[in-house]
């Protein structure tokens, strides 16, 4: 009966039963959880009830009929109870988790790939991001298949269920533009056009804006406005006038009448349309309940129209379904403008329970209250195509990572140059890892030094496109040839798109069973522009490397507007993202090699007892690089040094036994720190120089060791505790970086040392690097000054007075 080849009519009765069941289970989940909360901590479960109900019909049609196992869905955040209810029906969600909806370890408020047990394809929560994720996921599918991978699996559709107010989010428009450029296919967006947002009823005429916009971007638009009951009524005598009235009715009024119900509809329709003739007859021939049913029978609540619309799509062009719905459909809250946080009262729930023929104590029973034989329903569920092949989450084998990476080290160079060299070398040598790397950048490919890689590996496009400049023999450094085998995805400037693209590419192993190693580059300050999307990508456990360059005030004359201050703190605080900031290119090569492995890990979360970090779980990586050319150390990379670089810090100069001060630096200011140690040499003994390669990992290890000790493991010691453990109690620490001083300001707390934390707190000033380091107090002189204050003793003779 669930066979999609069967006529829609034969599936409708059972789908209608399931729709009712799903709405019941979702509503009960919310009510039950709220009831428990009210008697407990008083937290209110708002926002879900009405918002879920408006998508229930559409989701029933999709999950129970139209979707195929290869399709992937992003569900509007507040429709999670419907999603969980569907999964519960299918045996993929537990009663225990539903009873604990929104509680500790219970089913999540918004579908979560990483935290929910049911088969969530894409997490949602921050509105707009899941929508764009489906678009980029479809582009990822095209990328994977164009490279000849995963062809044994059928192509899937990437489906997003979108709240109408969700379309206010600008990132959706940015994504639409990118989709158009890349020839988007296989993407369905279903807009839950209930004309209500969280606070309000939306503007009149939005429909036309939506329709024109989607058509402009090359999408098909399918409107689901009238349900079959309405369509039949329009054919009755006077029906045309009723249709015209519906079409011109303001959103606010439609909502208000929906809430008020049959009698109110009757009064209003009679006042506006009553003609003592056919229209009056059309209205009068219906009871209040029938009239209400007719007026609420919008396209988005009519299973037959929805199924027909979905099943009639026989092409791969992107389609926007604009489905008229009623927020709170089927519930007493339907249509009320304040219903977003509305909940059914106990009395209303009792009535709803009775209407669903659910006996007290049987609320969670799967087949309670159904009017069809249980075995028929079971047989239908067992054969629902979407779920028929079990869990749809894949894995992919790990790609081997070379033992070392060659960064073509020159005596003087920048970390950004080193990054370009590593990729260039990988591109030249080839191999499985190089073939699976996909780079992407928001219009900064050349300026972030991806040029050499792109020259070797080409730009990706579904259709080949020659480089006209090359054909015309015009000399150019960049060979911009597009082909289906290209490995660089060029994006427009929108940084949100960069991160969502990384999110989609970085889930390829799980969604399409084909591993990619995505590397995205951008200017460091613009991380903030795409920050929510970056957070979203990490939350979904997508795996990628983000390389940000240039960074800090070190970009100097490039302009004050492009300086980044907060990004080192973002690197430390972003869960799922491991942040490094190398000073030297040999460090960078070590970090990148380690990262290629780390991106592919998916092991258990037991901490490594040396660092207390949970590296086996893997994650994404952020490299904060610089364009400043600095003298590179002449040294041999030993396994010990490698491991310290990865752990987050090493002594570039070990402090002697009588050290009264140590300098701890990160990144581009290395040369200043080295110079400061030289200047201090005559007046402070045994000064140590600590190279911090990852404040993030150093801090995380320290915090984790502290927690382990609190749990009774007294021997737990982190890397930073060992590094600083040998310093005498009254040794001072000066920390310095081109970024916010708080990044390293915690070092003194590790063993209780006095600390001066230098860094950048203001931005916008332009000048040379020397001007700016002096201006912000992160040059050698400022470091010496801080060292003198941190380690009292005789005045340091090389110290210049601070301006
Ligand atoms: C980025 C972001 N901002 C704000 C919110 C809070 N929020 C949740 S749903 C919502 C609007 C709901 O309107 P709509 O998308 O039309 O869905 P409906 O409730 O009508 O189903 C808002 C503002 C959010 N989840 N994400
Ligand atoms: Mg809405």
């Amino acid at each position: 009966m669930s066979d999609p080849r069967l006529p829609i009519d034969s599936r409708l009765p059972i789908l209608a039963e399931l729709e009712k069941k799903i709405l019941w289970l979702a509503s009960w989940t919310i009510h039950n959880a709220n009831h428990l909360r009210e008697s407990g901590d008083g937290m209110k479960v708002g926002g879900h009830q009405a918002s879920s109900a408006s998508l229930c019909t559409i989701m029933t049609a999709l999950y129970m009929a139209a979707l195929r196992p290869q399709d992937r869905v992003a569900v509007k955040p507040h429709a999670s109870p419907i999603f969980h209810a569907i999964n519960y029906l299918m045996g993929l969600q537990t009663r225990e988790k539903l009873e604990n909806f929104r509680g500790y370890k219970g089913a999540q408020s918004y579908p979560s790939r990483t935290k929910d047990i049911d088969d969530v394809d894409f997490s949602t929560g921050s509105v707009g991001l899941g929508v764009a994720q489906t678009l980029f996921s479809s582009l990822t599918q095209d990328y994977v298949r164009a490279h000849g991978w995963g062809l044994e699996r059928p192509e899937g559709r990437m489906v997003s269920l979108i709240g109408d107010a969700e379309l206010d989010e600008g990132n959706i428009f940015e994504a639409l533009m990118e989709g158009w450029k890349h020839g988007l296919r296989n993407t369905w967006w279903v807009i839950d056009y209930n004309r209500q947002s969280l606070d309000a009823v939306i503007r009149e005429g939005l429909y036309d804006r939506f329709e024109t916009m989607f058509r402009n971007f090359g999408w098909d638009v399918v409107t689901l406005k009238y349900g079959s009951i309405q369509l039949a009524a329009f054919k009755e005598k006077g029906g045309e006038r009723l249709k015209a009235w519906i079409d011109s009715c303001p959103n606010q009024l439609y909502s208000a009448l929906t809430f008020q119900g049959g009698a109110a509809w009757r009064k209003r329709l009679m006042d506006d349309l009553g003609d003592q003739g056919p229209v009056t007859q059309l209205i009068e021939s219906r009871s209040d309940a029938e009239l209400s049913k007719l007026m609420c029978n919008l396209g988005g609540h009519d299973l037959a129209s929805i199924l027909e619309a979905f099943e009639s799509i026989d092409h791969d062009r992107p389609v926007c379904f604009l489905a008229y719905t009623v927020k709170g459909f089927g519930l007493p809250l339907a249509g009320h403008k304040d219903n977003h946080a509305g909940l059914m009262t106990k009395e209303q729930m009792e009535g709803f329970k009775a209407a669903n023929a659910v006996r007290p104590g049987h609320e969670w029973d799967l087949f309670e209250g159904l009017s069809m034989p249980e075995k028929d329903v079971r047989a239908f569920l067992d054969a629902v195509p979407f779920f028929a092949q079990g869990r749809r989450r894949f894995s992919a084998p790990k790609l081997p990572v070379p033992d070392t990476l060659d960064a073509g080290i020159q005596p003087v160079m920048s970390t950004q140059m080193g990054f370009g060299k590593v990729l260039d070398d990988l591109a030249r040598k080839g191999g499985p890892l190089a073939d699976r790397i996909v780079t992407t950048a928001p219009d900064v490919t050349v300026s972030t030094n991806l040029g050499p890689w792109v020259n070797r590996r080409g730009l990706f496009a579904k259709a080949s496109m020659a480089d006209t400049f090359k054909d015309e023999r015009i000399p150019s450094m960049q060979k911009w040839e597009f082909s289906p085998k290209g490995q660089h995805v060029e994006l427009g400037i929108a940084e949100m798109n960069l991160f969502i693209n990384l999110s989609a590419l970085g889930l390829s192993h799980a969604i399409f069973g084909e591993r990619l190693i995505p590397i995205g580059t951008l200017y460091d300050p613009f991380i903030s522009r795409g920050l929510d999307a970056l957070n979203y990508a990490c939350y979904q456990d997508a795996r990628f490397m983000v390389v940000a360059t240039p960074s800090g005030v070190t970009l100097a004359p490039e302009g004050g507007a492009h300086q980044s201050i907060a990004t080192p703190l973002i690197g430390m605080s972003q869960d799922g993202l491991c942040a490094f900031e190398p000073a030297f290119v040999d460090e960078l090569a070590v970090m990148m090699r380690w990262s290629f492995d780390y991106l592919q890990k998916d092991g258990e979360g037991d901490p490594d007892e040396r660092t207390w970090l949970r590296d086996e779980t893997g994650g994404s990586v952020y490299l904060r690089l610089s364009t400043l050319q600095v003298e590179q150390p002449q040294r041999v990379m030993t396994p010990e040094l490698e491991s310290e670089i990865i752990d987050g810090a090493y002594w570039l100069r070990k402090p002697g036994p009588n050290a009264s001060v140590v300098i701890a630096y990160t990144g581009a200011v290395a040369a200043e720190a080295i110079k400061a140690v030289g200047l201090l040499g005559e007046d402070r003994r045994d000064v140590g120089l600590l190279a911090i390669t990852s404040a993030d990992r150093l801090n995380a290890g320290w915090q984790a060791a502290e927690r382990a000790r609190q749990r009774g493991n007294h021997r737990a010691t982190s890397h930073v505790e060992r590094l600083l453990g040998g310093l005498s109690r009254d040794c001072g620490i000066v920390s310095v970086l081109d970024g916010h001083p708080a990044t390293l300001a915690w070092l003194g707390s590790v063993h209780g040392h006095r600390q001066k934390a230098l860094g950048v707190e203001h931005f916008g000033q332009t000048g040379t690097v020397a001007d700016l380091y002096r201006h912000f107090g992160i040059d050698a002189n400022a470091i010496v000054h801080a060292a003198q204050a941190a380690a009292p003793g005789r005045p340091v003779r090389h110290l210049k007075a601070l301006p």
Side-chain angles (χ1 to χ4, degrees):
M1 246 195 303
S2 50
D3 187 338
R5 286 162 304 188
L6 290 175
I8 289 173
D9 279 355
S10 68
R11 288 176 281 155
L12 280 182
I14 203 156
L15 286 172
E17 284 284 288
L18 290 173
E19 181 193 353
K20 259 180 71 184
K21 187 80 221 167
I22 291 164
L23 184 60
W24 159 258
L25 284 170
S27 304
W28 178 248
T29 299
I30 299 161
H31 181 83
N32 177 64
N34 193 57
H35 177 61
L36 296 178
R37 300 284 181 286
E38 272 178 354
S39 54
D41 59 16
M43 189 172 74
K44 234 181 172 213
V45 182
H48 292 89
Q49 193 106 67
S51 190
S52 281
S54 89
L55 260 177
C56 186
T57 330
I58 289 169
M59 287 177 70
T60 305
L62 275 173
Y63 282 94
M64 294 295 164
L67 292 176
R68 302 153 307 163
Q70 63 268 30
D71 299 332
R72 297 287 181 272
V73 192
V75 176
K76 180 185 81 168
H78 281 108
S80 81
I82 299 282
F83 175 79
H84 292 315
I86 290 172
N87 277 271
Y88 178 64
L89 256 185
M90 301 307 304
L92 299 170
Q93 179 57 280
T94 64
R95 170 174 170 177
E96 188 192 3
K97 295 233 179 236
L98 292 188
E99 282 182 328
N100 195 17
F101 176 57
R102 290 170 58 119
Y104 183 60
K105 299 201 169 171
Q108 286 271 330
S109 321
Y110 313 123
S112 169
R113 267 187 75 77
T114 46
K115 304 286 185 226
D116 274 321
I117 57 163
D118 36 20
D119 206 3
V120 178
D121 293 326
F122 302 119
S123 305
T124 54
S126 177
V127 295
L129 299 181
V131 182
Q133 174 84 26
T134 57
L135 184 150
F136 283 100
S137 206
S138 179
L139 298 181
T140 297
Q141 177 171 252
D142 282 347
Y143 180 94
V144 167
R145 297 177 76 86
H147 285 77
W149 304 318
L151 295 175
E152 67 283 3
R153 295 197 185 93
E155 249 177 24
R157 285 196 178 107
M158 304 298 127
V159 181
S160 179
L161 306 174
I162 313 172
D164 44 4
E166 193 167 0
L167 277 159
D168 287 334
E169 288 289 358
N171 83 280
I172 296 179
F173 301 84
E174 297 174 1
L176 274 176
M177 175 78 93
E178 211 55 54
W180 173 77
K181 290 185 208 164
H182 291 271
L184 180 70
R185 307 182 309 135
N186 292 317
T187 305
W188 282 8
W189 285 1
V190 185
I191 299 176
D192 178 6
Y193 194 55
N194 61 21
R195 288 143 293 141
Q196 282 188 256
S197 63
L198 198 156
D199 289 337
V201 176
I202 64 171
R203 293 277 181 288
E204 296 302 324
L206 206 54
Y207 170 84
D208 302 312
R209 296 330 100 193
F210 287 165
E211 187 185 26
T212 325
M213 180 180 76
F214 279 98
R215 289 205 196 282
N216 269 341
F217 284 114
W219 289 55
D220 284 16
V221 177
V222 175
T223 304
L224 290 162
K225 182 159 184 180
Y226 316 105
S228 44
I229 304 175
Q230 286 189 346
L231 290 172
F234 298 158
K235 287 195 187 127
E236 291 175 27
K237 281 209 176 95
E240 277 303 313
R241 291 199 52 211
L242 178 69
K243 179 169 183 286
W245 186 92
I246 291 178
D247 287 350
S248 63
C249 179
N251 292 336
Q252 288 256 15
L253 179 61
Y254 213 95
S255 293
L257 291 170
T258 300
F259 177 71
Q260 289 167 310
W265 280 117
R266 184 180 305 283
K267 178 164 184 336
R268 185 71 198 208
L269 290 172
M270 286 299 285
D271 286 353
D272 287 1
L273 293 175
D275 61 355
Q276 302 305 320
V279 185
T280 301
Q281 165 64 21
L282 192 154
I283 298 166
E284 292 292 317
S285 66
R286 286 164 167 88
S287 68
D288 280 359
E290 285 166 343
L291 195 57
S292 176
K293 192 166 180 184
L294 168 68
M295 298 308 285
C296 293
N297 178 242
L298 302 180
H301 296 299
D302 192 74
L303 275 169
S305 320
I306 299 169
L307 267 184
E308 199 176 298
F310 288 150
E311 294 186 353
S312 66
I313 304 293
D314 57 359
H315 56 78
D316 65 4
R317 290 191 301 279
V319 186
C320 169
F321 297 91
L322 265 158
Y324 279 73
T325 54
V326 173
K327 189 159 170 173
F329 183 77
L331 306 175
L333 317 160
H336 196 291
K337 69 181 173 59
D338 303 339
N339 65 9
H340 189 82
L343 289 161
M344 281 195 265
T345 61
K346 283 205 183 103
E347 295 67 41
Q348 285 172 330
M349 185 42 87
E350 286 308 314
F352 190 57
K353 199 184 278 188
N356 279 279
V358 173
R359 291 163 296 162
H362 293 265
E363 290 86 356
W364 297 107
D365 294 0
L366 288 182
F367 301 98
E368 176 76 0
L370 294 182
S371 60
M372 288 188 157
E374 181 178 324
K375 75 169 187 3
D376 290 355
V377 180
R378 262 189 208 281
F380 183 94
L381 291 178
D382 286 346
V384 170
F386 187 63
F387 299 97
Q389 294 173 13
R391 242 171 114 77
R392 297 155 315 105
R393 203 170 281 201
F394 300 125
S395 59
K398 272 181 76 171
L399 302 163
V401 178
D403 290 339
T404 53
L405 297 177
D406 186 355
I409 298 176
Q410 304 288 316
V412 177
M413 70 191 298
S414 69
T415 48
Q416 194 210 59
M417 289 163 76
F419 167 67
K421 287 275 185 203
V422 167
L423 278 192
D424 186 32
D425 191 60
L426 275 170
R428 188 173 56 79
K429 289 188 184 136
L433 181 78
D435 291 346
R436 294 279 174 152
I437 288 177
V438 47
T439 54
T440 181
D443 206 23
V444 290
T445 304
V446 176
S447 46
T448 55
N449 210 12
L450 276 175
W453 159 266
V454 177
N455 280 342
R456 285 190 199 276
R457 291 283 167 153
L459 287 121
F460 172 71
K462 275 182 288 190
S464 293
M465 209 167 20
D467 180 351
T468 309
F469 275 70
K470 190 173 151 216
D471 294 348
E472 295 290 327
R473 295 173 201 278
I474 301 172
S476 162
M477 295 284 283
Q478 318 305 335
K479 297 184 209 106
W480 293 112
E481 267 171 3
F482 289 86
S483 86
K485 295 281 176 266
Q487 286 180 252
H488 178 68
V489 179
E490 182 65 355
L491 296 174
I493 313 171
E495 282 75 15
M496 284 298 237
N497 281 341
L498 170 75
F499 288 117
I500 300 182
N501 195 27
L502 288 173
S503 176
L505 294 165
L507 282 176
S508 175
H509 55 285
I511 303 278
F512 303 115
E514 295 294 334
R515 191 177 296 283
L516 298 175
I517 305 286
I519 302 178
T521 64
L522 81 167
Y523 293 1
D524 196 55
F526 303 132
I527 284 183
S528 304
R529 182 69 168 257
L531 193 51
D532 199 24
L534 170 61
N535 179 54
Y536 174 68
C538 293
Y539 175 56
Q540 303 214 78
D541 201 24
R543 300 303 176 84
F544 53 88
M545 188 187 287
V546 55
V547 181
T549 162
S551 59
V553 299
T554 306
L555 52 77
E558 173 82 16
H562 282 13
Q563 295 164 350
S564 60
I565 295 175
T567 47
L569 293 171
I570 291 171
M572 282 180 88
S573 55
Q574 179 59 56
D575 191 17
L577 190 70
C578 157
F580 290 103
E581 182 163 356
F584 304 115
V585 175
D586 60 354
E587 297 168 355
L588 172 72
V590 169
M591 291 166 185
M592 288 183 72
R593 201 207 76 80
W594 179 85
S595 299
F596 287 137
D597 190 49
Y598 180 69
L599 295 181
Q600 304 187 63
K601 283 188 190 286
D602 60 359
E604 294 303 312
D606 291 332
D608 174 337
E609 300 217 348
R610 183 173 55 82
T611 59
W612 293 92
L613 295 168
R614 292 168 197 273
D615 288 345
E616 281 312 309
T617 58
S620 288
V621 176
Y622 158 39
L623 302 175
R624 188 176 191 249
L625 305 187
S626 176
T627 41
L628 186 72
Q629 302 209 24
V630 296
E631 209 174 305
Q632 299 295 314
Q634 304 288 312
R635 59 185 172 187
V636 177
M637 186 55 66
T638 61
E640 294 72 35
L641 181 53
E642 262 185 36
S643 117
E644 287 203 296
I645 288 169
I646 297 306
D647 294 348
Y650 64 93
W651 287 110
L652 191 61
R653 184 178 194 260
K654 271 217 154 79
N658 300 311
S660 60
V661 66
V662 297
I663 316 289
Y665 74 90
T666 282
V669 295
E672 302 297 322
I674 292 168
K675 193 166 153 200
V677 170
L679 294 173
L680 282 165
E682 291 174 39
D683 302 300
R684 295 289 183 282
R685 292 165 63 188
D686 293 347
V687 179
L689 185 57
L690 187 65
I692 298 191
T693 46
S694 173
D696 179 22
R697 288 174 61 78
L698 211 52
N699 181 265
W702 174 46
Q703 297 294 337
E706 185 62 41
R707 280 192 297 276
R709 289 193 289 269
Q710 282 176 18
R711 291 199 193 101
N713 184 344
H714 302 295
R715 283 176 306 135
T717 312
S718 63
H719 185 51
V720 72
E721 289 166 313
R722 279 191 298 273
L723 284 168
L724 301 179
L727 301 178
S728 73
R729 272 219 145 273
D730 50 3
C731 180
I733 299 176
V734 176
S735 61
V736 59
L737 80 156
D738 179 1
H740 198 277
T743 312
L744 298 176
W746 50 275
L747 285 171
S749 308
V750 174
H751 289 303
H753 290 109
R754 191 183 319 115
Q755 182 179 3
K756 303 282 172 197
L758 308 180
V760 181
E761 291 160 286
H762 306 285
F763 80 104
Q765 188 60 53
T766 188
T768 64
V769 171
D771 290 337
L772 295 183
Y773 280 12
R774 191 174 57 248
H775 179 86
F776 290 112
I778 53 172
D779 63 351
N781 193 55
I783 297 170
V784 172
H785 208 277
Q788 178 173 275
R794 68 166 183 246
V796 178
R797 66 199 75 173
H798 293 293
L799 184 63
K800 288 191 221 116
L802 285 178

